[in-house]
Amino acid sequence: MSFTWSDFEQKITAATTSTDLEIIEHELFGRKAGLLTEALKGIKDLPAIEKKDAAKELNIMKKKFTEMIAAKRTELGGGSIDAIDVTLDLPKKQRGHHHLIPEFMRQIEEVFGRMGFDVAYGPEMETEELNFNKLNIPDDHPARDGQDTFWIKGVENTVLRTHTSPVQIRYMQEHKPPFRMICPGKVYRKDSDATHSPMFHQFEGLMIGKDINLANLKAVLVTALRELIGRDVEFRFRTGYFPFVEPGMEMDMMWQGDLEDSREGKWLEMGGCGMVHPNVLRNVDIDPDEWQGFAFGFGVERPMMIKHQIPDLRAFYEGDLRFLRQF
Ligand code: DAH
């Protein structure tokens, strides 16, 4: 490589960024192949007579370039960093996290997934046929009432699904038994108080086989809910009517912990369950003499209220950071 030292004078003068300057500095003073470094090292191999002058000249160069680079660095405004202060406080990043409801739904999928349950989803705008008829819900059932259900203006026979149960029908239309599936999702009803919200979340479960029975239902639900709540909770099953199961039951969980109100020791309803009604199986062309199984449909918010001791369900939706940051 041929060059003259004055090339470097020009380069330093022309540098416009501190990166330019670093490159030049490296070219001259780099410990391995820096041109000045090499030239200084080469002095020892010169004839004795030349050594003194060469050393003198190179040291003048060295001083000159060092000064020029330092001056340029000041001019460009970037001082060199001799050491990085690792204790320096960086501005704290505001990190977000999932809202506790989708997070809990993910855990539901995981816990049931480990028990071999498939995860299915369905639309939130659902046909009357799937939301009600195929589930054996008679025409005069109160759930169909305009008081309870959001009907879609201008779209015939369509509702905001009132439960996740229509996904049972969708799943059974597409799969042949035996199977087990869960479906978490949003549902809508015209309800609003401390334990009801017009939009809330449910998770549906369905397990069909040759000999699936109520004992299996109880085992699956109790195992999954204990794991989801993360501690031992008291449960009870009592009979309940739902047109799509026979027999039908409701499952309650006990308020336990340090809630400072009169709920302690009272039961909170988690949802319904039972053995899938033969009419429902027939509606999806599954022979009820050959196949049987259970279904359940639970609120997502309810077990979370017990888990985190949350007395009012509306806290989930108000977006109050003092509440949300606790989770
Ligand atoms: N869909 C019912 C509701 O929202 C809950 C339910 C009850 C679901 C019994 C089921 C079931 O799958 O078997 O009130």
Side-chain angles (χ1 to χ4, degrees), residues 82-129:
D82 292 323
I84 293 170
D85 181 359
V86 291
T87 65
L88 201 64
D89 251 351
L90 291 174
K92 288 256 179 324
K93 281 232 171 67
Q94 290 273 354
R95 292 191 74 187
H97 60 81
H98 281 143
H99 185 273
L100 66 168
I101 291 179
E103 179 55 25
F104 196 66
M105 299 215 284
R106 194 194 56 71
Q107 287 167 14
I108 290 170
E109 292 179 10
E110 190 186 307
V111 166
F112 281 96
R114 265 190 263 128
M115 294 199 230
F117 281 69
D118 195 8
V119 180
Y121 303 103
E124 288 168 28
M125 243 171 88
E126 187 55 282
T127 62
E128 187 181 2
E129 176 75 9

mmCIF file of all heavy atoms in Angstrom, residues 82-129:
data_model
loop_
_atom_site.group_PDB
_atom_site.id
_atom_site.type_symbol
_atom_site.label_atom_id
_atom_site.label_comp_id
_atom_site.label_asym_id
_atom_site.label_seq_id
_atom_site.Cartn_x
_atom_site.Cartn_y
_atom_site.Cartn_z
ATOM 1 N N ASP A 82 -13.771 6.301 27.645
ATOM 2 C CA ASP A 82 -12.656 5.485 28.115
ATOM 3 C C ASP A 82 -13.146 4.240 28.807
ATOM 4 O O ASP A 82 -12.558 3.181 28.739
ATOM 5 C CB ASP A 82 -11.785 6.301 29.077
ATOM 6 C CG ASP A 82 -11.084 7.407 28.337
ATOM 7 O OD1 ASP A 82 -10.666 7.174 27.167
ATOM 8 O OD2 ASP A 82 -10.997 8.513 28.874
ATOM 9 N N ALA A 83 -14.274 4.397 29.492
ATOM 10 C CA ALA A 83 -14.822 3.236 30.190
ATOM 11 C C ALA A 83 -16.335 3.392 30.196
ATOM 12 O O ALA A 83 -16.842 4.502 30.224
ATOM 13 C CB ALA A 83 -14.294 3.209 31.618
ATOM 14 N N ILE A 84 -17.054 2.271 30.110
ATOM 15 C CA ILE A 84 -18.508 2.352 30.151
ATOM 16 C C ILE A 84 -18.951 2.165 31.595
ATOM 17 O O ILE A 84 -18.543 1.211 32.255
ATOM 18 C CB ILE A 84 -19.133 1.255 29.264
ATOM 19 C CG1 ILE A 84 -18.786 1.564 27.812
ATOM 20 C CG2 ILE A 84 -20.642 1.198 29.454
ATOM 21 C CD1 ILE A 84 -19.121 0.451 26.859
ATOM 22 N N ASP A 85 -19.731 3.128 32.062
ATOM 23 C CA ASP A 85 -20.200 3.045 33.436
ATOM 24 C C ASP A 85 -21.416 2.134 33.491
ATOM 25 O O ASP A 85 -22.524 2.519 33.145
ATOM 26 C CB ASP A 85 -20.576 4.450 33.923
ATOM 27 C CG ASP A 85 -21.048 4.424 35.366
ATOM 28 O OD1 ASP A 85 -21.098 3.311 35.957
ATOM 29 O OD2 ASP A 85 -21.356 5.495 35.897
ATOM 30 N N VAL A 86 -21.174 0.890 33.891
ATOM 31 C CA VAL A 86 -22.277 -0.079 33.869
ATOM 32 C C VAL A 86 -23.309 0.190 34.954
ATOM 33 O O VAL A 86 -24.379 -0.402 34.958
ATOM 34 C CB VAL A 86 -21.781 -1.539 33.989
ATOM 35 C CG1 VAL A 86 -21.047 -1.967 32.736
ATOM 36 C CG2 VAL A 86 -20.931 -1.722 35.238
ATOM 37 N N THR A 87 -22.975 1.061 35.883
ATOM 38 C CA THR A 87 -23.947 1.351 36.938
ATOM 39 C C THR A 87 -24.884 2.481 36.525
ATOM 40 O O THR A 87 -25.805 2.831 37.243
ATOM 41 C CB THR A 87 -23.242 1.768 38.249
ATOM 42 O OG1 THR A 87 -22.561 3.003 38.002
ATOM 43 C CG2 THR A 87 -22.266 0.726 38.707
ATOM 44 N N LEU A 88 -24.622 3.023 35.317
ATOM 45 C CA LEU A 88 -25.448 4.127 34.856
ATOM 46 C C LEU A 88 -26.917 3.692 34.772
ATOM 47 O O LEU A 88 -27.231 2.645 34.224
ATOM 48 C CB LEU A 88 -24.962 4.534 33.461
ATOM 49 C CG LEU A 88 -25.304 5.927 32.985
ATOM 50 C CD1 LEU A 88 -24.632 6.957 33.880
ATOM 51 C CD2 LEU A 88 -24.828 6.104 31.544
ATOM 52 N N ASP A 89 -27.825 4.506 35.302
ATOM 53 C CA ASP A 89 -29.243 4.181 35.273
ATOM 54 C C ASP A 89 -29.839 4.505 33.921
ATOM 55 O O ASP A 89 -29.834 5.645 33.508
ATOM 56 C CB ASP A 89 -29.980 5.029 36.325
ATOM 57 C CG ASP A 89 -30.431 4.169 37.476
ATOM 58 O OD1 ASP A 89 -30.313 2.930 37.351
ATOM 59 O OD2 ASP A 89 -30.897 4.728 38.482
ATOM 60 N N LEU A 90 -30.319 3.472 33.231
ATOM 61 C CA LEU A 90 -30.985 3.748 31.963
ATOM 62 C C LEU A 90 -32.438 4.088 32.271
ATOM 63 O O LEU A 90 -32.979 3.639 33.270
ATOM 64 C CB LEU A 90 -30.931 2.508 31.075
ATOM 65 C CG LEU A 90 -29.552 2.157 30.563
ATOM 66 C CD1 LEU A 90 -29.592 0.834 29.822
ATOM 67 C CD2 LEU A 90 -29.036 3.264 29.649
ATOM 68 N N PRO A 91 -33.075 4.852 31.394
ATOM 69 C CA PRO A 91 -34.495 5.123 31.649
ATOM 70 C C PRO A 91 -35.269 3.806 31.668
ATOM 71 O O PRO A 91 -35.026 2.935 30.830
ATOM 72 C CB PRO A 91 -34.917 5.984 30.454
ATOM 73 C CG PRO A 91 -33.772 6.036 29.531
ATOM 74 C CD PRO A 91 -32.566 5.467 30.193
ATOM 75 N N LYS A 92 -36.183 3.659 32.620
ATOM 76 C CA LYS A 92 -36.921 2.396 32.747
ATOM 77 C C LYS A 92 -37.898 2.245 31.595
ATOM 78 O O LYS A 92 -38.629 3.153 31.275
ATOM 79 C CB LYS A 92 -37.713 2.387 34.059
ATOM 80 C CG LYS A 92 -36.844 2.236 35.291
ATOM 81 C CD LYS A 92 -36.948 0.818 35.831
ATOM 82 C CE LYS A 92 -36.088 0.564 37.061
ATOM 83 N NZ LYS A 92 -34.804 1.228 37.131
ATOM 84 N N LYS A 93 -37.869 1.068 30.956
ATOM 85 C CA LYS A 93 -38.831 0.814 29.887
ATOM 86 C C LYS A 93 -40.169 0.463 30.519
ATOM 87 O O LYS A 93 -40.231 -0.270 31.496
ATOM 88 C CB LYS A 93 -38.362 -0.378 29.053
ATOM 89 C CG LYS A 93 -37.277 -0.036 28.072
ATOM 90 C CD LYS A 93 -37.671 -0.509 26.668
ATOM 91 C CE LYS A 93 -36.720 -0.009 25.614
ATOM 92 N NZ LYS A 93 -35.378 -0.586 25.746
ATOM 93 N N GLN A 94 -41.243 0.995 29.963
ATOM 94 C CA GLN A 94 -42.578 0.624 30.421
ATOM 95 C C GLN A 94 -42.919 -0.685 29.715
ATOM 96 O O GLN A 94 -43.177 -0.695 28.525
ATOM 97 C CB GLN A 94 -43.597 1.692 30.009
ATOM 98 C CG GLN A 94 -43.459 2.983 30.750
ATOM 99 C CD GLN A 94 -44.242 2.984 32.051
ATOM 100 O OE1 GLN A 94 -44.989 2.049 32.354
ATOM 101 N NE2 GLN A 94 -44.073 4.020 32.838
ATOM 102 N N ARG A 95 -42.904 -1.765 30.452
ATOM 103 C CA ARG A 95 -43.212 -3.045 29.806
ATOM 104 C C ARG A 95 -44.662 -3.424 30.074
ATOM 105 O O ARG A 95 -45.121 -3.367 31.200
ATOM 106 C CB ARG A 95 -42.294 -4.145 30.325
ATOM 107 C CG ARG A 95 -40.880 -3.943 29.886
ATOM 108 C CD ARG A 95 -40.066 -5.170 30.171
ATOM 109 N NE ARG A 95 -40.371 -6.239 29.242
ATOM 110 C CZ ARG A 95 -39.883 -7.453 29.376
ATOM 111 N NH1 ARG A 95 -39.146 -7.774 30.382
ATOM 112 N NH2 ARG A 95 -40.172 -8.384 28.474
ATOM 113 N N GLY A 96 -45.363 -3.807 29.035
ATOM 114 C CA GLY A 96 -46.752 -4.227 29.200
ATOM 115 C C GLY A 96 -46.835 -5.719 29.470
ATOM 116 O O GLY A 96 -45.826 -6.414 29.453
ATOM 117 N N HIS A 97 -48.009 -6.194 29.763
ATOM 118 C CA HIS A 97 -48.210 -7.645 29.869
ATOM 119 C C HIS A 97 -49.644 -7.938 29.492
ATOM 120 O O HIS A 97 -50.473 -7.032 29.417
ATOM 121 C CB HIS A 97 -47.884 -8.150 31.278
ATOM 122 C CG HIS A 97 -48.713 -7.539 32.368
ATOM 123 N ND1 HIS A 97 -49.979 -7.971 32.665
ATOM 124 C CD2 HIS A 97 -48.472 -6.505 33.203
ATOM 125 C CE1 HIS A 97 -50.457 -7.227 33.659
ATOM 126 N NE2 HIS A 97 -49.572 -6.335 34.001
ATOM 127 N N HIS A 98 -49.922 -9.201 29.274
ATOM 128 C CA HIS A 98 -51.296 -9.565 28.923
ATOM 129 C C HIS A 98 -52.254 -9.187 30.041
ATOM 130 O O HIS A 98 -51.913 -9.257 31.215
ATOM 131 C CB HIS A 98 -51.390 -11.072 28.680
ATOM 132 C CG HIS A 98 -50.890 -11.465 27.328
ATOM 133 N ND1 HIS A 98 -50.189 -12.608 27.099
ATOM 134 C CD2 HIS A 98 -51.010 -10.841 26.141
ATOM 135 C CE1 HIS A 98 -49.883 -12.682 25.815
ATOM 136 N NE2 HIS A 98 -50.362 -11.620 25.218
ATOM 137 N N HIS A 99 -53.447 -8.845 29.638
ATOM 138 C CA HIS A 99 -54.510 -8.655 30.622
ATOM 139 C C HIS A 99 -54.768 -10.009 31.273
ATOM 140 O O HIS A 99 -54.555 -11.054 30.663
ATOM 141 C CB HIS A 99 -55.767 -8.162 29.887
ATOM 142 C CG HIS A 99 -56.900 -7.812 30.791
ATOM 143 N ND1 HIS A 99 -57.813 -8.750 31.208
ATOM 144 C CD2 HIS A 99 -57.270 -6.640 31.359
ATOM 145 C CE1 HIS A 99 -58.704 -8.155 31.998
ATOM 146 N NE2 HIS A 99 -58.394 -6.872 32.098
ATOM 147 N N LEU A 100 -55.228 -9.998 32.511
ATOM 148 C CA LEU A 100 -55.316 -11.295 33.206
ATOM 149 C C LEU A 100 -56.338 -12.248 32.617
ATOM 150 O O LEU A 100 -56.210 -13.454 32.790
ATOM 151 C CB LEU A 100 -55.511 -11.119 34.718
ATOM 152 C CG LEU A 100 -56.754 -10.506 35.316
ATOM 153 C CD1 LEU A 100 -56.769 -10.757 36.810
ATOM 154 C CD2 LEU A 100 -56.812 -9.016 35.067
ATOM 155 N N ILE A 101 -57.312 -11.732 31.867
ATOM 156 C CA ILE A 101 -58.301 -12.663 31.292
ATOM 157 C C ILE A 101 -57.712 -13.511 30.155
ATOM 158 O O ILE A 101 -57.754 -14.738 30.224
ATOM 159 C CB ILE A 101 -59.589 -11.931 30.865
ATOM 160 C CG1 ILE A 101 -60.305 -11.468 32.132
ATOM 161 C CG2 ILE A 101 -60.492 -12.838 30.036
ATOM 162 C CD1 ILE A 101 -61.585 -10.714 31.896
ATOM 163 N N PRO A 102 -57.145 -12.877 29.092
ATOM 164 C CA PRO A 102 -56.529 -13.732 28.070
ATOM 165 C C PRO A 102 -55.425 -14.627 28.636
ATOM 166 O O PRO A 102 -55.213 -15.749 28.161
ATOM 167 C CB PRO A 102 -55.963 -12.751 27.038
ATOM 168 C CG PRO A 102 -56.155 -11.391 27.586
ATOM 169 C CD PRO A 102 -57.165 -11.462 28.682
ATOM 170 N N GLU A 103 -54.741 -14.126 29.661
ATOM 171 C CA GLU A 103 -53.691 -14.940 30.282
ATOM 172 C C GLU A 103 -54.303 -16.189 30.929
ATOM 173 O O GLU A 103 -53.783 -17.290 30.805
ATOM 174 C CB GLU A 103 -52.943 -14.083 31.316
ATOM 175 C CG GLU A 103 -51.831 -14.793 32.069
ATOM 176 C CD GLU A 103 -50.786 -15.423 31.175
ATOM 177 O OE1 GLU A 103 -50.603 -14.978 30.019
ATOM 178 O OE2 GLU A 103 -50.152 -16.408 31.620
ATOM 179 N N PHE A 104 -55.433 -16.004 31.601
ATOM 180 C CA PHE A 104 -56.099 -17.146 32.242
ATOM 181 C C PHE A 104 -56.649 -18.102 31.169
ATOM 182 O O PHE A 104 -56.595 -19.319 31.337
ATOM 183 C CB PHE A 104 -57.235 -16.650 33.145
ATOM 184 C CG PHE A 104 -57.735 -17.683 34.125
ATOM 185 C CD1 PHE A 104 -56.937 -18.156 35.150
ATOM 186 C CD2 PHE A 104 -59.037 -18.175 34.031
ATOM 187 C CE1 PHE A 104 -57.397 -19.109 36.055
ATOM 188 C CE2 PHE A 104 -59.512 -19.120 34.938
ATOM 189 C CZ PHE A 104 -58.696 -19.584 35.946
ATOM 190 N N MET A 105 -57.140 -17.545 30.063
ATOM 191 C CA MET A 105 -57.655 -18.416 28.996
ATOM 192 C C MET A 105 -56.531 -19.254 28.395
ATOM 193 O O MET A 105 -56.727 -20.404 28.032
ATOM 194 C CB MET A 105 -58.367 -17.586 27.928
ATOM 195 C CG MET A 105 -59.560 -16.841 28.489
ATOM 196 S SD MET A 105 -60.955 -16.669 27.354
ATOM 197 C CE MET A 105 -60.368 -15.406 26.313
ATOM 198 N N ARG A 106 -55.356 -18.647 28.319
ATOM 199 C CA ARG A 106 -54.197 -19.405 27.829
ATOM 200 C C ARG A 106 -53.875 -20.558 28.783
ATOM 201 O O ARG A 106 -53.587 -21.663 28.374
ATOM 202 C CB ARG A 106 -52.986 -18.465 27.683
ATOM 203 C CG ARG A 106 -51.838 -19.029 26.880
ATOM 204 C CD ARG A 106 -50.576 -18.219 27.043
ATOM 205 N NE ARG A 106 -50.156 -18.079 28.425
ATOM 206 C CZ ARG A 106 -49.646 -19.045 29.187
ATOM 207 N NH1 ARG A 106 -49.484 -20.242 28.668
ATOM 208 N NH2 ARG A 106 -49.312 -18.835 30.440
ATOM 209 N N GLN A 107 -53.992 -20.260 30.092
ATOM 210 C CA GLN A 107 -53.731 -21.322 31.078
ATOM 211 C C GLN A 107 -54.782 -22.427 30.980
ATOM 212 O O GLN A 107 -54.478 -23.603 31.157
ATOM 213 C CB GLN A 107 -53.736 -20.749 32.497
ATOM 214 C CG GLN A 107 -52.495 -19.926 32.793
ATOM 215 C CD GLN A 107 -52.634 -19.103 34.074
ATOM 216 O OE1 GLN A 107 -53.531 -19.323 34.880
ATOM 217 N NE2 GLN A 107 -51.775 -18.127 34.249
ATOM 218 N N ILE A 108 -56.032 -22.030 30.703
ATOM 219 C CA ILE A 108 -57.099 -23.026 30.543
ATOM 220 C C ILE A 108 -56.739 -23.968 29.392
ATOM 221 O O ILE A 108 -56.802 -25.196 29.521
ATOM 222 C CB ILE A 108 -58.458 -22.327 30.270
ATOM 223 C CG1 ILE A 108 -58.947 -21.599 31.527
ATOM 224 C CG2 ILE A 108 -59.496 -23.329 29.773
ATOM 225 C CD1 ILE A 108 -60.151 -20.684 31.315
ATOM 226 N N GLU A 109 -56.311 -23.367 28.283
ATOM 227 C CA GLU A 109 -55.934 -24.191 27.121
ATOM 228 C C GLU A 109 -54.784 -25.130 27.479
ATOM 229 O O GLU A 109 -54.746 -26.280 27.073
ATOM 230 C CB GLU A 109 -55.512 -23.308 25.935
ATOM 231 C CG GLU A 109 -56.671 -22.521 25.360
ATOM 232 C CD GLU A 109 -56.270 -21.617 24.195
ATOM 233 O OE1 GLU A 109 -55.131 -21.725 23.701
ATOM 234 O OE2 GLU A 109 -57.115 -20.797 23.787
ATOM 235 N N GLU A 110 -53.871 -24.611 28.273
ATOM 236 C CA GLU A 110 -52.693 -25.412 28.626
ATOM 237 C C GLU A 110 -53.066 -26.578 29.555
ATOM 238 O O GLU A 110 -52.668 -27.712 29.330
ATOM 239 C CB GLU A 110 -51.692 -24.490 29.304
ATOM 240 C CG GLU A 110 -50.335 -25.081 29.518
ATOM 241 C CD GLU A 110 -49.487 -24.121 30.341
ATOM 242 O OE1 GLU A 110 -49.371 -22.946 29.955
ATOM 243 O OE2 GLU A 110 -48.972 -24.569 31.387
ATOM 244 N N VAL A 111 -53.864 -26.272 30.580
ATOM 245 C CA VAL A 111 -54.219 -27.304 31.561
ATOM 246 C C VAL A 111 -55.066 -28.400 30.903
ATOM 247 O O VAL A 111 -54.785 -29.601 31.053
ATOM 248 C CB VAL A 111 -54.955 -26.673 32.770
ATOM 249 C CG1 VAL A 111 -55.625 -27.736 33.618
ATOM 250 C CG2 VAL A 111 -53.992 -25.837 33.602
ATOM 251 N N PHE A 112 -56.090 -27.998 30.138
ATOM 252 C CA PHE A 112 -56.907 -29.014 29.460
ATOM 253 C C PHE A 112 -56.119 -29.678 28.335
ATOM 254 O O PHE A 112 -56.301 -30.860 28.063
ATOM 255 C CB PHE A 112 -58.207 -28.400 28.934
ATOM 256 C CG PHE A 112 -59.249 -28.210 30.002
ATOM 257 C CD1 PHE A 112 -59.388 -26.995 30.647
ATOM 258 C CD2 PHE A 112 -60.066 -29.268 30.391
ATOM 259 C CE1 PHE A 112 -60.339 -26.814 31.653
ATOM 260 C CE2 PHE A 112 -61.021 -29.102 31.392
ATOM 261 C CZ PHE A 112 -61.159 -27.872 32.021
ATOM 262 N N GLY A 113 -55.250 -28.898 27.701
ATOM 263 C CA GLY A 113 -54.416 -29.465 26.641
ATOM 264 C C GLY A 113 -53.582 -30.629 27.168
ATOM 265 O O GLY A 113 -53.442 -31.660 26.518
ATOM 266 N N ARG A 114 -53.097 -30.473 28.389
ATOM 267 C CA ARG A 114 -52.299 -31.552 28.989
ATOM 268 C C ARG A 114 -53.151 -32.784 29.254
ATOM 269 O O ARG A 114 -52.638 -33.883 29.351
ATOM 270 C CB ARG A 114 -51.649 -31.070 30.291
ATOM 271 C CG ARG A 114 -50.225 -30.576 30.062
ATOM 272 C CD ARG A 114 -49.517 -30.323 31.365
ATOM 273 N NE ARG A 114 -49.600 -28.920 31.708
ATOM 274 C CZ ARG A 114 -50.026 -28.452 32.865
ATOM 275 N NH1 ARG A 114 -50.416 -29.267 33.823
ATOM 276 N NH2 ARG A 114 -50.074 -27.158 33.089
ATOM 277 N N MET A 115 -54.477 -32.576 29.384
ATOM 278 C CA MET A 115 -55.366 -33.727 29.572
ATOM 279 C C MET A 115 -55.888 -34.244 28.228
ATOM 280 O O MET A 115 -56.848 -35.004 28.180
ATOM 281 C CB MET A 115 -56.556 -33.318 30.444
ATOM 282 C CG MET A 115 -56.183 -32.973 31.863
ATOM 283 S SD MET A 115 -57.684 -33.078 32.857
ATOM 284 C CE MET A 115 -57.672 -31.578 33.698
ATOM 285 N N GLY A 116 -55.276 -33.793 27.154
ATOM 286 C CA GLY A 116 -55.609 -34.325 25.836
ATOM 287 C C GLY A 116 -56.752 -33.619 25.138
ATOM 288 O O GLY A 116 -57.263 -34.105 24.122
ATOM 289 N N PHE A 117 -57.169 -32.451 25.651
ATOM 290 C CA PHE A 117 -58.284 -31.739 25.011
ATOM 291 C C PHE A 117 -57.779 -30.883 23.851
ATOM 292 O O PHE A 117 -56.788 -30.171 23.966
ATOM 293 C CB PHE A 117 -59.000 -30.834 26.033
ATOM 294 C CG PHE A 117 -59.948 -31.583 26.936
ATOM 295 C CD1 PHE A 117 -59.467 -32.469 27.907
ATOM 296 C CD2 PHE A 117 -61.325 -31.417 26.817
ATOM 297 C CE1 PHE A 117 -60.335 -33.169 28.731
ATOM 298 C CE2 PHE A 117 -62.196 -32.108 27.643
ATOM 299 C CZ PHE A 117 -61.701 -32.990 28.604
ATOM 300 N N ASP A 118 -58.507 -30.978 22.745
ATOM 301 C CA ASP A 118 -58.267 -30.136 21.575
ATOM 302 C C ASP A 118 -58.814 -28.737 21.898
ATOM 303 O O ASP A 118 -59.717 -28.609 22.708
ATOM 304 C CB ASP A 118 -59.065 -30.758 20.421
ATOM 305 C CG ASP A 118 -58.652 -30.233 19.068
ATOM 306 O OD1 ASP A 118 -57.648 -29.502 18.993
ATOM 307 O OD2 ASP A 118 -59.352 -30.551 18.092
ATOM 308 N N VAL A 119 -58.268 -27.702 21.263
ATOM 309 C CA VAL A 119 -58.799 -26.348 21.462
ATOM 310 C C VAL A 119 -59.523 -25.913 20.197
ATOM 311 O O VAL A 119 -58.976 -26.033 19.105
ATOM 312 C CB VAL A 119 -57.678 -25.347 21.786
ATOM 313 C CG1 VAL A 119 -58.247 -23.946 21.983
ATOM 314 C CG2 VAL A 119 -56.924 -25.783 23.032
ATOM 315 N N ALA A 120 -60.767 -25.447 20.354
ATOM 316 C CA ALA A 120 -61.549 -25.008 19.189
ATOM 317 C C ALA A 120 -62.065 -23.594 19.434
ATOM 318 O O ALA A 120 -62.200 -23.170 20.582
ATOM 319 C CB ALA A 120 -62.721 -25.955 18.962
ATOM 320 N N TYR A 121 -62.326 -22.862 18.361
ATOM 321 C CA TYR A 121 -62.900 -21.522 18.480
ATOM 322 C C TYR A 121 -64.087 -21.412 17.536
ATOM 323 O O TYR A 121 -64.166 -22.143 16.552
ATOM 324 C CB TYR A 121 -61.870 -20.444 18.114
ATOM 325 C CG TYR A 121 -60.608 -20.510 18.930
ATOM 326 C CD1 TYR A 121 -59.447 -21.052 18.393
ATOM 327 C CD2 TYR A 121 -60.579 -20.039 20.241
ATOM 328 C CE1 TYR A 121 -58.273 -21.125 19.136
ATOM 329 C CE2 TYR A 121 -59.411 -20.106 20.988
ATOM 330 C CZ TYR A 121 -58.264 -20.650 20.432
ATOM 331 O OH TYR A 121 -57.105 -20.720 21.161
ATOM 332 N N GLY A 122 -64.974 -20.491 17.842
ATOM 333 C CA GLY A 122 -66.116 -20.263 16.954
ATOM 334 C C GLY A 122 -66.380 -18.774 16.853
ATOM 335 O O GLY A 122 -65.805 -17.981 17.594
ATOM 336 N N PRO A 123 -67.275 -18.373 15.941
ATOM 337 C CA PRO A 123 -67.550 -16.939 15.740
ATOM 338 C C PRO A 123 -68.377 -16.346 16.875
ATOM 339 O O PRO A 123 -69.181 -17.056 17.497
ATOM 340 C CB PRO A 123 -68.346 -16.914 14.433
ATOM 341 C CG PRO A 123 -69.006 -18.245 14.381
ATOM 342 C CD PRO A 123 -68.081 -19.213 15.046
ATOM 343 N N GLU A 124 -68.185 -15.034 17.125
ATOM 344 C CA GLU A 124 -68.979 -14.383 18.182
ATOM 345 C C GLU A 124 -70.356 -13.993 17.659
ATOM 346 O O GLU A 124 -71.299 -13.857 18.425
ATOM 347 C CB GLU A 124 -68.213 -13.172 18.722
ATOM 348 C CG GLU A 124 -67.019 -13.615 19.549
ATOM 349 C CD GLU A 124 -66.048 -12.506 19.883
ATOM 350 O OE1 GLU A 124 -66.468 -11.336 19.972
ATOM 351 O OE2 GLU A 124 -64.852 -12.824 20.034
ATOM 352 N N MET A 125 -70.470 -13.778 16.352
ATOM 353 C CA MET A 125 -71.783 -13.591 15.745
ATOM 354 C C MET A 125 -72.227 -14.966 15.291
ATOM 355 O O MET A 125 -71.578 -15.574 14.445
ATOM 356 C CB MET A 125 -71.667 -12.649 14.541
ATOM 357 C CG MET A 125 -72.438 -11.372 14.679
ATOM 358 S SD MET A 125 -72.037 -10.232 13.353
ATOM 359 C CE MET A 125 -73.212 -10.753 12.122
ATOM 360 N N GLU A 126 -73.317 -15.448 15.851
ATOM 361 C CA GLU A 126 -73.679 -16.852 15.642
ATOM 362 C C GLU A 126 -75.111 -16.947 15.125
ATOM 363 O O GLU A 126 -75.932 -16.049 15.372
ATOM 364 C CB GLU A 126 -73.506 -17.596 16.981
ATOM 365 C CG GLU A 126 -73.664 -19.085 16.941
ATOM 366 C CD GLU A 126 -72.751 -19.771 15.928
ATOM 367 O OE1 GLU A 126 -73.080 -19.726 14.724
ATOM 368 O OE2 GLU A 126 -71.732 -20.364 16.332
ATOM 369 N N THR A 127 -75.408 -18.005 14.406
ATOM 370 C CA THR A 127 -76.791 -18.166 13.935
ATOM 371 C C THR A 127 -77.673 -18.640 15.088
ATOM 372 O O THR A 127 -77.213 -19.322 16.008
ATOM 373 C CB THR A 127 -76.882 -19.216 12.810
ATOM 374 O OG1 THR A 127 -76.452 -20.468 13.343
ATOM 375 C CG2 THR A 127 -76.003 -18.825 11.626
ATOM 376 N N GLU A 128 -78.955 -18.268 14.978
ATOM 377 C CA GLU A 128 -79.937 -18.705 15.958
ATOM 378 C C GLU A 128 -79.969 -20.240 15.983
ATOM 379 O O GLU A 128 -80.092 -20.860 17.039
ATOM 380 C CB GLU A 128 -81.297 -18.139 15.516
ATOM 381 C CG GLU A 128 -82.397 -18.353 16.502
ATOM 382 C CD GLU A 128 -83.737 -17.800 15.999
ATOM 383 O OE1 GLU A 128 -83.801 -17.274 14.858
ATOM 384 O OE2 GLU A 128 -84.699 -17.900 16.749
ATOM 385 N N GLU A 129 -79.796 -20.808 14.810
ATOM 386 C CA GLU A 129 -79.824 -22.261 14.652
ATOM 387 C C GLU A 129 -78.764 -22.943 15.546
ATOM 388 O O GLU A 129 -79.064 -23.885 16.271
ATOM 389 C CB GLU A 129 -79.569 -22.577 13.161
ATOM 390 C CG GLU A 129 -79.452 -24.026 12.793
ATOM 391 C CD GLU A 129 -80.797 -24.751 12.784
ATOM 392 O OE1 GLU A 129 -81.836 -24.062 12.897
ATOM 393 O OE2 GLU A 129 -80.795 -25.987 12.688
#
